[in-house]
Amino acid sequence: MILTGIVMALLWGCIIAYAVLGGADFGGGVWSLLASGPTAARQQRLIEHAIGPVWEANSVWLIYLVVGLLTAFPLVAYTLAVALFVPFTLALLGIVLRGAAFAFETHITGSVNLRQAWGHTFSTASTITPFLLGAGAAAVASGQIHYRNGAVQADRFTPWLMPFALVMGAVALSLCATLAAVYLTVEASHQKDHEMAEVFRLRALIAGAVTAGFGLLGLLLAPGEAPIIWHGLGHQALPVVIITMLLGLGTAFALYLRRYLLARGLVIAMTAGLLSAWGLAQMPYIVPPDLTLSNSASSPAMLGAFLGSAIVGMAFLLPSLWFLFRVFKGNQPTPAVRGRDLEES
Amino acid sequence: MSHLFSARAQMGTSLAFHIIFSVLGVGLPVLLCVAEGLALRYKDPHWMRLARQWSKAFAIVFAIGAVSGVIVEFEIALLWPSFARFIGGVAGLPFAMEGFAFFLEGIFLGLYLYGWNRLSPRAHWLCSFPLWISGGASAWFIMTANSWMNSPAGFTLKNGVITNVRPFAAIANPATPYETTHMILGCYVAVGFAVAAVYAFAWLRGQRTAYNRKGLLLGLAMASIAIPLQVVSGDPNARFLETSQPAKYAAMEGLLHSGRGQPLYILGIPDQKTGQVYLAIQIPHGESLLAHFNLNSYSKGLDQIPKADQPNAIVVHLTFDLMVFCGFFLLLAALLFWWFFLRGNRTLPDKRWLLWGLVACGPLGFLAIESGWMVTEEGRQPWVIYGIMRVSDAATPSPWVNVSFAIFSLVYVVLGATLVLLLLRLARNPLPERTWEEYFVTTPAPQAAISPDKMQEATE
Ligand code: HDD
Ligand code: HEM
Ligand code: HEM
């Protein structure tokens, strides 16, 4: 049981990492779609520059989450794959188009039309995907996906299309946008581009307010449409909920003071808090109301092997990740050695 | 279209698409590593230019490899949920370990592609090592999962309940050594020949530069080391199948009847309804001789397998022959090339037929990979987990698989077309020649002073 809990915590950590890292890449796409004003082209360039070196690595968190779920909680993977076939297939389409479009857009030279077409694909897919993922998460939380007598019983549409789910989709989307905007203020101030920093500061504040608004709306809908979560939020998860709200306010305040690095740290902590609150609120269920940690986990041998492999893997992963972010996102990113090849830096 | 058919077609299309990029992802980093290493060792601008040119192509190829991989990963769960549940609980570990290989690959790829000017030359070169190591590791892990589907191990099945799960025994299933070796070698074969083919083509068009010569030789060197090993590793693989998956083996060889002194059928149409093999070139006693070194030894045919458990012999037999043909063609091309090369005092042989032969090797390597996979996957039918779970029992109950098949097929067409377009453009506008010093002069970078259109210039 302890082993199951540790493995679940590990996977939950992956959700947080994906939200914080991959989510911001989605948010970048959203801002690319919404780029406007005289500096629109510069905004897009900054976004491209920020996403370029890291998106491949960022998206692996999602893959690891899928395989981790498959390995450690195969019954959960099965249930979700059957019940949420439609939204997950659509989200998959979005993920694929977004990744491909980003790569194409950055590497197309010459044809402006083609570049624009892929640019639009990139930003549209970036917008739709987090929405679907958020709605899917809400469907899980809603308690409307059942696994009984060896079969999955769920309506194909209502769990992820009811008001609560739609609102949570909007929360996910605006959260991604907030994350991206906050990171971009840091990115811009590293490049000493204060105009861009101001542009994204304003956007971060607006997106943050929108996220908070949708979040509260979600809380209002929860008692009726996701009672298990609602109960948990008011009980075991309550301290985390309060901390999350404070972190959100803190982020806004840091932005207001133009303390961008601090804002980045706070918004990451807030995202982690939000997801932890959700996780805690539905303990011990993974897919309420039928699948719990204990009745859906793999054998202890598998869980142990999985955990072991994760520890060994992390020993390679974490230093490499640290190195990647130090080179490209650090406080003082290593300067380009040569001016001529700027396109590669 | 039937529901099951759509699911199978979607899975097959996705994997056939993904494998092209996976193979490049395993093979190209090795070439990058060697070329950059040679460049640094000999301060040679040609090697440096090759490494940089390849890394530009790799950036696009890898991205498509990653997104197509994500499709496959999701599809395993979305299209085959029962299978996913079974394999997850027993042999999910390689998928999880593969995840870390992907992480490392993604991280060092970012460093490699975007770090030319941010890392010291040596540090940059060192970043290519984790790249090829993790590429090979991800291939190894995923192959163990596929081997497990072919020879499931590491669990006990009692009245439909899985007990006594041994994750490491599942990884070390009997097919693992054969499949992993054969596949990883295949990546080096296909990529080596593909790269050689590009430069052989340039050579044929009269671009006889030191740059093209080096590209050709390096690609072909890697391929030539791997191809004999590849052919040699195919043989025990087939032998192993005779005992572990007799239906696949019989279908491969076109053996419809059991008996002694079996002929070797080359090409031909093994018709399971009539029990006849039409239009084949027959080598009497050939199969018995190759399989057991004995002209009159006994081999099992498809007649010993229940009708419901037989794969489609026509597909499996012909794709097997295609792979073997490709293998021998590649081997011959490599041998002839080095023979003329060494006899001609290390000048590229000026024989058009030989160079055109090398050009043909480019697609043939990939054709061998695709056909080899058809042998493996079609030969396993109707099982998804051999002897344990049928494909028809694994498929998702969801409707709309037809729709998703149509949509994803369209996505592949669009992605493939754009990718080819980009790669052709890249080939037509290679990076400019530079001297060695120009690659490494340190000029302070006045970042903000460079306007976007100047950047564009630097790109051309
Ligand atoms: C460059 C590619 C290439 C070349 C030249 C060959 N193969 Fe191959 N073959 C593959 C690439 C490949 C592959 C795509 O990598 C497969 C698919 C699954 C696997 O493990 O490797 C494969 C599968 C495969 C299988 C089925 C394994 C299974 O289902 O478990 C057999 C029996 C052989 N090969 C045998 C051969 C022989 C006798 C060859 C002699 C010329 C040969 N291969 C050349
Ligand atoms: C990358 C090279 C591969 C290619 C080209 C390939 C090709 C195919 C094809 C053509 C099918 C459809 C077979 C049919 O139903 O008639 C198929 C099915 C399938 N493959 Fe593969 N395959 C590859 C590797 C793998 C690997 C590595 C795995 C697992 C780890 C895998 C898992 C599956 C599954 C689960 C199915 C669906 C069930 C079935 O039809 O047997 N494949 N593949
Ligand atoms: C034998 C067949 C396969 C080989 C050799 C292989 C190898 C690779 C390699 C080397 C990559 C790195 C990306 C690239 O270079 O393009 C990759 C990507 C990927 N593969 Fe495959 N793969 C195979 C089949 C599969 C299957 C069956 C799955 C799903 C279960 C899968 C899932 C993935 C995923 C999710 C990625 C993306 C990783 C990333 O984001 O970097 N692959 N594969």
Side-chain angles (χ1 to χ4, degrees), chain B residues 2 10 53 79 102 220 257 279 282 287 290 353:
Chain B
S2 92
Q10 184 174 341
Q53 178 78 8
L79 297 178
F102 289 153
L220 201 60
H257 302 285
L279 302 172
Q282 288 195 26
E287 192 277 332
L290 283 180
W353 59 268

Side-chain angles (χ1 to χ4, degrees), chain B residues 4-5 7-9 11-20 22 72 75-76 80 83 87 95 141-147 149 179 183 369-370 372-374 376-378 380-385 390-391 394:
Chain B
L4 178 62
F5 179 83
R8 292 169 58 181
M11 194 73 212
T13 317
S14 302
L15 284 157
F17 188 81
H18 176 62
I19 190 69
I20 298 174
S22 326
V72 179
E75 279 179 352
I76 291 225
W80 315 99
F83 162 73
I87 194 175
F95 290 102
F141 286 125
I142 198 74
M143 288 311 296
T144 64
N146 187 267
S147 306
M149 293 163 61
E179 281 201 37
M183 177 74 220
I369 301 259
E370 297 282 1
W373 274 106
M374 291 307 140
T376 302
E377 302 289 300
E378 297 298 333
R380 191 185 57 238
Q381 302 301 317
W383 304 102
V384 55
I385 305 172
R390 279 171 200 277
V391 174

Side-chain angles (χ1 to χ4, degrees), chain A residues 56 64 67 70-71 74-75 78 81 85 96 103 109 118 147 156 302 320-321 327 334 337-341 344, chain B residues 52 62-63 71 73 77 81 85 88 90 92 96 100 104 107 114 117-118 398 400 418 425 434 438-439 441 443 458:
Chain A
E56 306 255 12
Y64 193 68
V67 296
L70 209 68
T71 308
L75 188 54
Y78 170 81
F85 180 83
V96 167
T109 49
W118 282 109
Y147 178 81
R156 282 184 210 293
M302 191 51 135
S320 314
L321 210 55
V327 171
T334 359
V337 179
R338 256 174 57 91
R340 285 277 282 285
D341 278 341
E344 284 158 351
Chain B
R52 296 213 175 194
F62 187 92
I71 302 187
E73 198 87 67
R85 182 178 164 188
V90 178
F100 285 104
L104 293 180
I107 291 171
Y114 292 84
N117 309 310
R118 294 193 174 224
S398 298
W400 300 303
T418 315
R425 265 205 201 139
R434 290 195 179 123
E438 275 180 299
Y439 277 113
V441 192
T443 45

Side-chain angles (χ1 to χ4, degrees), chain B residues 92-326:
Chain B
L93 199 54
F95 290 102
M97 292 172 157
E98 195 196 18
F100 285 104
F102 289 153
F103 264 127
L104 293 180
E105 214 174 348
I107 291 171
F108 284 95
L109 187 80
L111 285 163
Y112 195 85
L113 294 181
Y114 292 84
W116 285 106
N117 309 310
R118 294 193 174 224
L119 299 164
S120 74
R122 173 187 285 264
H124 186 270
W125 177 58
L126 288 177
C127 283
S128 68
F129 283 78
L131 214 51
W132 65 261
I133 294 171
S134 54
S138 55
W140 196 88
F141 286 125
I142 198 74
M143 288 311 296
T144 64
N146 187 267
S147 306
W148 181 87
M149 293 163 61
N150 286 327
S151 59
F155 62 99
T156 317
L157 202 56
K158 256 193 218 148
N159 309 326
V161 180
I162 306 167
T163 54
N164 190 17
V165 172
R166 298 176 308 274
F168 293 98
I171 292 184
N173 66 75
T176 288
Y178 302 100
E179 281 201 37
T180 50
T181 316
H182 197 62
M183 177 74 220
I184 293 176
L185 283 171
C187 296
Y188 300 141
V189 169
V191 173
F193 277 113
V195 166
V198 171
Y199 296 102
F201 187 68
W203 200 263
L204 273 168
R205 301 225 320 208
Q207 299 161 7
R208 312 202 157 185
T209 57
Y211 169 80
N212 283 332
R213 180 177 185 272
K214 284 183 172 140
L216 196 162
L217 287 180
L218 182 58
L220 201 60
M222 181 170 83
S224 305
I225 296 171
I227 183 70
L229 299 172
Q230 176 76 350
V231 172
V232 169
S233 77
D235 179 60
N237 201 335
R239 263 169 230 291
F240 164 73
L241 286 181
E242 193 186 2
T243 43
S244 90
Q245 292 184 76
K248 185 187 273 181
Y249 179 80
M252 259 161 52
E253 299 289 355
L255 297 181
L256 299 178
H257 302 285
S258 312
R260 297 191 164 276
Q262 299 267 19
L264 184 68
Y265 296 106
I266 299 176
L267 299 177
I269 300 181
D271 186 335
Q272 279 149 290
K273 292 217 180 68
T274 60
Q276 300 280 328
V277 184
Y278 301 110
L279 302 172
I281 305 165
Q282 288 195 26
I283 300 178
H285 298 274
E287 192 277 332
S288 289
L289 180 66
L290 283 180
H292 316 110
F293 309 112
N294 176 345
L295 284 175
N296 287 314
S297 57
Y298 175 86
S299 303
K300 246 193 198 177
L302 275 180
D303 56 356
Q304 302 244 336
I305 313 285
K307 267 257 162 355
D309 292 353
Q310 292 184 5
N312 181 331
I314 301 178
V315 174
V316 180
H317 177 61
L318 288 179
T319 49
F320 181 66
D321 280 3
L322 183 58
M323 167 174 59
V324 175
F325 164 77
C326 293

